[in-house]
Amino acid sequence: MPIYKVVEVNTVTEDVLEEVLNEWTAKGWRFDGMQFAMRDASRRPAMAFVFFTREEREVAP
């Protein structure tokens, strides 16, 4: 059964997004997608949400 991880990114730059992706994939999470929250007055996203998944490890009884 998959479990999910959502990481909120408040500074949306290439470097910060790369850092988040590299950090969480190194911890065993698989990148699943990304959503951006836009500002009305700007073309640059105000924030991003990065989604990861991994399989739940079964615990022996």
Side-chain angles (χ1 to χ4, degrees):
M1 171 180 228
I3 56 174
Y4 297 89
K5 174 81 178 159
V6 178
V7 178
E8 180 180 318
V9 179
N10 291 315
T11 304
V12 183
T13 64
E14 180 180 346
D15 293 337
V16 173
L17 293 174
E18 283 181 6
E19 183 179 314
V20 168
L21 290 167
N22 289 329
E23 176 185 350
W24 289 100
T25 55
K27 293 179 180 180
W29 292 89
R30 188 178 69 231
F31 174 69
D32 190 56
M34 190 178 309
Q35 288 284 314
F36 296 99
M38 304 299 289
R39 293 185 180 130
D40 290 335
S42 176
R43 296 178 71 186
R44 178 171 287 282
M47 62 184 355
F49 297 92
V50 186
F51 304 98
F52 298 92
T53 60
R54 72 176 178 197
E55 288 300 313
E56 184 175 31
R57 295 187 177 118
E58 291 186 30
V59 179

